[in-house]
Amino acid sequence: MNSAANPEGTPAAASSLQALLPALRRWPDVEAANLYAADACDRLILDTCAAAAGPSDRWPDAIAVIGDHYGALALGALALGSTSVRVHTDSLTARRAIEANLARLMPERAGHLEFCTLEQVAQGASSILLALPRGLDVLGEQAAAAAAVADPGAKLFAGGRIKHMSRSMNEVLAEHFTRVDVSLARQKSRVLTASTPRAEQPASSFPATATHQVRGTSFTLHAGAGTFGAARLDPGTRLLLANLPDLSGHATLVDLACGNGAIGICAALENPQLRVDASDHSASAVASTLAAAQRNNLDGRLTAVQDDALGRLPDASATLVTLNPPFHIGNTVTADIAFKLIDDAARVLAPGGTLLCVFNSHLRYRSELARRVGPTEQLARDRTFTVTASTRAH
């Protein structure tokens, strides 16, 4: 597929984009700082959208962007001539990276970019740029939300690295759009172009609802596809809940990386004196935790907010933190995010406070927990997961 080198009709737009993309940075992401925040896939999405407009048409004035990581798509659209860019990104870290790149590189265009919910981002849009997510359920949720409110003639340009793509992605998009075209490969990337939202959209299975029981305590989860585990109870969380120690001496539980809220909700139901202060970098996770709290009549005892680790909390302010840390960022398996969360838990714990953690046993985090937090004991272990309690050193 030939790229549209000059979608606006002058060399300025193309040269502006060429200068912008290498200058984007990943901060405040924990990934390696020397990696570019824009890749071949981002450029292919932008080029495919430009080519679809035709050689005589301008780059679209208004663009919707879903899943941008660091601003390559959103700021790229501004550089190419868009005057209105609406963005939905589930990750708080991604949003802050986009904001930081916009303030540093295009401060004069700050008023042209707006962050929106997934349900609002594609309202009336004729062009939608989407960075393909890891999961088919998430893609289905995103495609459904876009197709439901976009212009009747809208096109969605969904790009990804070939090694992470499958034919099932085409099928998911085809459920919501009448036509799906596949680009030629370029630099190990492809773009799926989904055209014309279907007049009748299929029923969605999200948000999902499921009821679980641990140690005689029954609770209901209610979660979107973008939440880790959705409404399921993952085995690591189940093992932690089955081995919770006596929490009667604590007034507040800080549920770090709360996901669907299972840990905080189950602990609060078992311990009537306990209030839960939950947080996650994911907007979907926060919404799911709040929805589950309401389902379990805990909305008066549980709060949940988006946060980068525990940035909102002061040092030595908590006696109890729970954590089931993620071990990947996107498609990259890494311990960096887990260590960042553990370090911030250590900062927030008061001397003598406890961090309850569950992790994949093969990752061998116990020594790191002891080094970063304090004395660490094993509470439980099965073939896959280990549960530990770390006491904050004085």
Side-chain angles (χ1 to χ4, degrees), residues 136 139 165-175 192:
L136 294 177
L139 177 59
M165 298 175 70
S166 69
R167 291 185 182 274
S168 297
M169 291 179 169
N170 305 41
E171 297 166 5
V172 169
L173 292 175
E175 292 177 359
L192 308 178

Side-chain angles (χ1 to χ4, degrees), residues 108-155:
E108 74 285 356
R109 307 298 300 279
H112 298 272
L113 188 149
E114 176 187 5
F115 288 96
C116 302
T117 66
L118 180 59
E119 293 73 24
Q120 298 170 335
V121 67
Q123 183 72 49
S126 58
S127 298
I128 305 156
L129 311 182
L130 185 148
L132 282 167
R134 297 177 70 239
L136 294 177
D137 286 343
V138 178
L139 177 59
E141 187 176 60
Q142 293 174 342
V149 298
D151 182 88
K155 290 187 176 182

Side-chain angles (χ1 to χ4, degrees), residues 206-255:
F206 290 97
T209 301
T211 299
H212 307 279
Q213 190 172 75
V214 179
R215 295 201 306 195
T217 299
S218 179
F219 56 95
T220 299
L221 301 178
H222 184 75
T227 300
F228 171 72
R232 298 183 295 275
L233 186 62
D234 75 273
T237 295
R238 181 179 289 277
L239 185 66
L240 185 151
L241 291 175
N243 292 277
L244 281 177
D246 179 10
L247 303 182
S248 60
H250 298 278
T252 302
L253 182 156
V254 176
D255 189 10

